[in-house]
Amino acid sequence: MNKIKGYNNWKELASKELKDKSLNDHYWETPEGIKVKPLYTEEDLKNLNHQIGLPGLPPFTRGPRATMYTNRPWTIRQYAGFSTAEESNRFYKEGLKNGVMGLSVAFDLATHRGYDSDHPRVVADVGNAGVAIDSIEDMNLLFDGIPLDQMSVSMTMNGAVIPVLASFIASGEEQGCPREKLTGTIQNDILKEFMVRNTFIFPPKPSMRIVADIIEYTSKHMPRFNSISISGYHMQEAGANQVQELAYTLADGKEYIKSALERGLNIDEFAPRLSFFWSIGMNFFMEIAKMRASRYMWAEIVKEFKPKNNKSLALRTHCQTSGVSLMEQDAYNNIVRTTIEAMAAIMGGTQSLHTNSFDEALALPTNFSARIARNTQLILSEETGICNVIDPLAGSYYVESLTSSIVQESKKLIQEIDEVGGMVKAIEMGIPKMRIEESSAKRQARIDSNEETIVGVNKYKPTEKQEINILSIDNEEVRERQVSRLQKLKKSRDNKNVENFIEKIKNVAGQKGNLLEVCIEASKNRCTVGEMTSAMESVFGRHNLSTKTISGVYKNSVKNDGKIDVIDRELDKFIKNKGRRPRMLVVKMGQDGHDRGAKLIATAFSDLGFDVDIGPLFQTPEEAAKQAVENDAHVIGVSTLAAGHKTLVPLLMESLKNNEANEIKVICGGVIPPDDYPFLYKLGVAKVFGPGTNIQEAAIEIINLL
């Protein structure tokens, strides 16, 4: 080894650097408040807050199975639903031919909210963002030619979980697959819906009863089926940092255990079939450490309930790469992002994985983009050698220290939940929702201030226009086909029998009994998803969420690089000219409950000096127009994510015209394909903002528009 001037060897130089106070004082603080040093050594492994252990043994930090991927790789899933059951069926079969090992079903928003396709409130939602399922007939088409006794099926469903799962079970039996042979997972995670995703139907108490009904039924009759997938994914998508995602998801799991135990079930009857679902974002090592921490912490939580079977302590998880990290600008960068996120999920020890397609910031994925996403997993599985070693990052000074810090910080949040009486009480008080919205606003402020780099968005911006083929769904055609199928079903079935089953569902909802059990029989007798939901709604009622926003977080977090001064000057001019501040109504129309964008815009614009109202979720265009007129708004900000803009925005413009309010400007923001911009501008929309828009720059544009 060559000598370095003044030092005998590299070891002496490294020792000098380690003792250098400036190096030891240099920390990077994560968004979770965890201080990360530039260098970790074996000293950092001496006081960990978790046990490392061995894979396949409690506390399962290193994985729930002893051999992990060396024996069997993770399950490659393709989460998808395309308009109709027939289209989705074709997509699934293509995926199965090309390496997909399990199906993950995305349902349309009408189905999520328990409406049949002919309901007047879902005119823009049928077939958008997923497959429309109105009855067992649609389920039969969805899985036609797919052997359900051999194929694992995961279903993302929470609100209308009883009628959808009932239709799946009934369809399997009509196919010749008895319920005890069905393999897969139903999400069935309603607490998360009240926090972030909002595709709830019933109030919290009956919703928790439904969760327990499903856990009870599946534990007795479906030994190969996971009764719940406790989901942190949508929390991170709504803006939660990784510590919040972990803590609130585990707290939800604890609440579900309590609910099942109150039903009289034994912990070992159902705990081994509970599963989890994580979002995997771009903070590579944080995501790996989060997954390791989750397994350790879940084992500790379940231990409190005194299980006798070690399998009850093991956290098994599905992962999906982040949707929020996908950017419209320079969209091919998303392929790289998804690959990095997939690697983090694999290094963290996931049991199954879905990789997002690069074009999902623009629209639903095409076959071309879905193939790239699918092949990303195949390449990682079969070309990298990752599967040759169990938990390769175990013992890493940095990874173990980070895991330990996440355990410590997550326990603080869980303690806060426990102190108010558990997650149901905390949700009623709005604690998790508020913390997540604060985190979301802080992150947006960092991005707008260029403190957090997103390549192609706030740094290294492309100079050439990208040409990307995107998938377009004809919502009107899909709805017509679904309505026609519904009409045919209602004419051919025994409607007297249907009425009897609707009454049975009402009776079970109001008294004792298992709702899933009665709905399986109702589904076999051709009761629709909407009819079964309506029967329960007549007893439980339909839940409405009050819309609140936080204040001050965005403005206190964003750096003033001169844009805020410009906004202040422009607002002063506006006030002098108009006699009041510009008033914006932020709306979410249709059945899409993803309100991160709407809440973020409402919060940030309010902090920047606008008067902001936010409409309730699930508004119709007519209701939104009426609210804008009554509130004397200058501008309506339409937040859209689920491809309903081509139906909903024209109806909004028509409603404004009918209310003689054409002077109210309409702007749109969210996941809108660039090819749709001319359509919206032709309607009279004043401005369209895509994903990754700088909020301060948008505020300046809007003031100038007004």
Side-chain angles (χ1 to χ4, degrees):
M1 183 183 291
N2 293 331
K3 287 189 177 182
I4 303 163
K5 190 175 181 181
Y7 298 97
N8 291 321
N9 53 44
W10 286 100
K11 189 172 182 181
E12 188 179 333
L13 176 62
S15 178
K16 165 72 171 63
E17 287 184 351
L18 279 173
K19 291 173 183 174
D20 189 330
K21 192 174 187 303
S22 64
L23 180 68
N24 289 332
D25 285 350
H26 180 72
Y27 288 97
W28 167 59
E29 188 167 301
T30 74
E32 295 79 11
I34 294 170
K35 288 184 176 179
V36 175
K37 301 188 296 182
L39 180 66
Y40 287 81
T41 68
E42 59 188 326
E43 288 294 311
D44 294 291
L45 299 183
K46 290 183 178 177
N47 296 300
L48 298 177
N49 295 308
H50 71 286
Q51 297 170 35
I52 300 174
L54 289 169
L57 294 174
F60 300 104
T61 307
R62 299 190 62 187
R65 296 202 311 269
T67 54
M68 289 300 289
Y69 306 144
T70 60
N71 180 48
R72 187 179 74 192
W74 65 93
T75 300
I76 297 173
R77 291 192 179 276
Q78 194 91 45
Y79 177 58
F82 288 87
S83 61
T84 64
E86 298 97 322
E87 286 293 315
S88 297
N89 178 266
R90 278 193 285 272
F91 182 83
Y92 294 152
K93 286 177 177 174
E94 184 66 22
L96 294 173
K97 283 192 294 185
N98 289 283
V100 170
M101 296 180 281
L103 302 180
S104 294
V105 183
F107 297 95
D108 74 353
L109 294 165
T111 306
H112 273 290
R113 295 271 293 149
Y115 292 116
D116 285 336
S117 297
D118 57 358
H119 197 284
R121 294 196 76 87
V122 298
V123 63
D125 300 300
V126 178
N128 275 339
V131 59
I133 298 292
D134 291 319
S135 72
I136 186 175
E137 299 287 354
D138 289 328
M139 279 289 186
N140 289 341
L141 288 170
L142 185 64
F143 297 110
D144 180 48
I146 296 172
L148 293 177
D149 57 344
Q150 301 171 35
M151 185 57 54
S152 171
V153 176
S154 172
M155 291 178 285
T156 302
M157 177 52 62
N158 302 282
V161 63
I162 287 278
V164 168
L165 180 56
S167 299
F168 170 72
I169 295 167
S171 176
E173 296 199 332
E174 288 197 357
Q175 190 193 86
C177 177
R179 59 195 72 178
E180 60 268 18
K181 289 190 176 180
L182 288 170
T183 304
T185 305
I186 187 78
Q187 193 163 96
N188 192 28
D189 178 10
I190 202 63
L191 290 177
K192 167 261 301 176
E193 298 297 323
F194 291 114
M195 268 189 274
V196 289
R197 191 161 174 255
N198 302 315
T199 53
F200 47 73
I201 298 174
F202 312 117
K205 190 173 180 181
S207 294
M208 286 297 287
R209 179 253 173 107
I210 284 170
V211 171
D213 275 4
I214 291 170
I215 293 174
E216 179 184 53
Y217 185 88
T218 53
S219 66
K220 290 178 180 177
H221 303 290
M222 302 172 71
R224 298 171 62 189
F225 200 82
N226 298 322
S227 57
I228 191 167
S229 174
I230 307 158
S231 174
Y233 184 87
H234 302 95
M235 295 183 201
Q236 191 178 140
E237 292 293 281
N241 61 47
Q242 279 90 336
V243 166
Q244 290 170 337
E245 179 193 6
L246 174 56
Y248 294 148
T249 306
L250 295 183
D252 281 351
K254 193 173 179 180
E255 202 77 18
Y256 293 133
I257 286 178
K258 290 179 185 175
S259 182
L261 292 176
E262 286 170 6
R263 183 62 65 90
L265 296 176
N266 181 290
I267 184 75
D268 291 320
E269 284 182 319
F270 64 89
R273 301 310 306 171
L274 301 178
S275 66
F276 285 77
F277 176 25
W278 302 122
S279 174
I280 305 296
M282 284 296 290
N283 194 336
F284 185 76
F285 288 105
M286 182 68 77
E287 293 292 5
I288 294 167
K290 176 189 78 181
M291 294 176 70
R292 303 178 87 253
S294 72
R295 289 190 290 268
Y296 169 77
M297 291 180 69
W298 183 244
E300 293 292 296
I301 287 170
V302 178
K303 203 183 293 180
E304 297 172 21
F305 300 99
K306 299 181 172 52
K308 294 177 181 176
N309 183 355
N310 277 346
K311 288 183 178 178
S312 296
L313 303 173
L315 183 152
R316 297 165 302 109
T317 190
H318 170 69
C319 290
Q320 181 173 338
T321 58
S322 173
V324 168
S325 71
L326 301 176
M327 293 294 151
E328 176 192 283
Q329 300 92 330
D330 219 358
Y332 288 108
N333 289 342
N334 295 332
I335 299 173
V336 181
R337 293 185 179 107
T338 294
T339 304
I340 292 166
E341 291 165 352
M343 285 183 66
I346 295 160
M347 292 292 193
T350 191
Q351 277 59 71
S352 68
L353 178 62
H354 165 78
T355 32
N356 288 330
S357 301
F358 75 87
D359 52 358
E360 288 185 63
L362 303 164
L364 288 170
T366 61
N367 286 333
F368 170 75
S369 64
R371 182 174 179 82
I372 293 172
R374 184 169 61 243
N375 286 350
T376 299
Q377 293 196 54
L378 292 171
I379 290 166
L380 289 172
S381 173
E382 301 191 22
E383 294 188 27
T384 62
I386 286 174
C387 293
N388 296 334
V389 177
I390 302 163
D391 192 21
L393 292 182
S396 156
Y397 304 145
Y398 176 40
V399 169
E400 298 296 357
S401 298
L402 195 53
T403 301
S404 189
S405 295
I406 291 172
V407 168
Q408 184 177 27
E409 294 305 311
S410 297
K411 283 183 174 179
K412 292 176 186 176
L413 291 182
I414 292 175
Q415 184 179 352
E416 180 183 43
I417 299 301
D418 288 341
E419 285 172 355
V420 300
M423 196 46 122
V424 173
K425 286 278 174 61
I427 287 170
E428 288 171 353
M429 295 168 69
I431 293 171
K433 199 172 188 72
M434 178 187 69
R435 297 249 185 272
I436 290 170
E437 287 176 10
E438 285 176 354
S439 174
S440 176
K442 285 177 181 177
R443 179 167 191 244
Q444 187 62 44
R446 291 196 303 274
I447 293 168
D448 287 351
S449 301
N450 292 331
E451 291 180 87
E452 184 174 326
T453 297
I454 301 179
V455 173
V457 176
N458 60 1
K459 199 173 182 182
Y460 313 114
K461 296 179 183 179
T463 55
E464 297 178 0
K465 187 181 177 182
Q466 58 186 2
E467 296 294 334
I468 296 175
N469 292 322
I470 61 165
L471 180 68
S472 179
I473 300 293
D474 188 337
N475 161 256
E476 191 172 331
E477 182 189 349
V478 174
R479 188 168 187 269
E480 285 174 2
R481 287 167 65 181
Q482 285 297 121
V483 170
S484 174
R485 188 178 293 156
L486 265 173
Q487 290 171 343
K488 185 178 177 182
L489 171 74
K490 289 177 180 179
K491 285 178 183 176
S492 63
R493 68 187 184 180
D494 183 340
N495 283 300
K496 186 67 178 172
N497 205 25
V498 167
E499 289 173 15
N500 290 336
F501 272 103
I502 295 301
E503 287 305 312
K504 283 183 183 179
I505 294 169
K506 289 178 182 177
N507 290 335
V508 173
Q511 299 169 22
K512 285 187 176 179
N514 192 291
L515 282 164
L516 179 56
E517 189 169 25
V518 69
C519 284
I520 291 169
E521 296 308 310
S523 180
K524 287 180 180 178
N525 284 273
R526 273 43 191 178
C527 291
T528 69
V529 168
E531 288 168 338
M532 288 184 269
T533 302
S534 183
M536 289 183 277
E537 184 182 341
S538 68
V539 178
F540 299 147
R542 188 173 274 266
H543 184 63
N544 293 310
L545 189 70
S546 59
T547 306
K548 298 176 183 176
T549 56
I550 57 172
S551 62
V553 174
Y554 179 84
K555 192 163 188 178
N556 292 336
S557 302
V558 76
K559 282 190 175 179
N560 188 355
D561 58 359
K563 290 179 187 142
I564 289 178
D565 294 333
V566 173
I567 292 169
D568 289 342
R569 287 197 299 272
E570 293 300 318
L571 283 173
D572 285 341
K573 289 180 194 175
F574 186 94
I575 293 166
K576 285 175 185 175
N577 187 31
K578 302 285 187 179
R580 62 188 177 106
R581 294 180 180 277
R583 192 171 196 90
M584 176 188 285
L585 172 65
V586 180
V587 300
K588 286 283 295 183
M589 298 181 291
Q591 299 303 308
D592 178 24
H594 293 88
D595 62 350
R596 173 186 181 162
K599 288 285 189 72
L600 190 57
I601 291 298
T603 295
F605 271 73
S606 179
D607 281 359
L608 293 173
F610 283 64
D611 283 336
V612 180
D613 299 311
I614 185 164
L617 284 171
F618 316 123
Q619 275 186 313
T620 65
E622 294 77 16
E623 290 164 348
K626 185 180 178 185
Q627 185 180 0
V629 171
E630 289 174 349
N631 291 12
D632 199 15
H634 295 103
V635 60
I636 300 174
V638 177
S639 175
T640 180
L641 178 71
H645 54 275
K646 290 183 79 171
T647 303
L648 294 167
V649 175
L651 291 172
L652 175 65
M653 304 299 283
E654 185 181 338
S655 295
L656 287 173
K657 184 179 178 181
N658 293 338
N659 282 277
E660 298 180 349
N662 287 338
E663 75 283 357
I664 298 176
K665 303 284 188 187
V666 174
I667 59 173
C668 295
V671 179
I672 303 172
D675 287 350
D676 288 353
Y677 286 21
F679 168 81
L680 294 171
Y681 286 134
K682 192 174 179 181
L683 282 174
V685 170
K687 184 68 182 176
V688 181
F689 296 100
T693 295
N694 183 295
I695 288 179
Q696 296 166 72
E697 292 173 4
I700 294 167
E701 283 194 65
I702 290 167
I703 298 170
N704 291 333
L705 277 173
L706 299 176

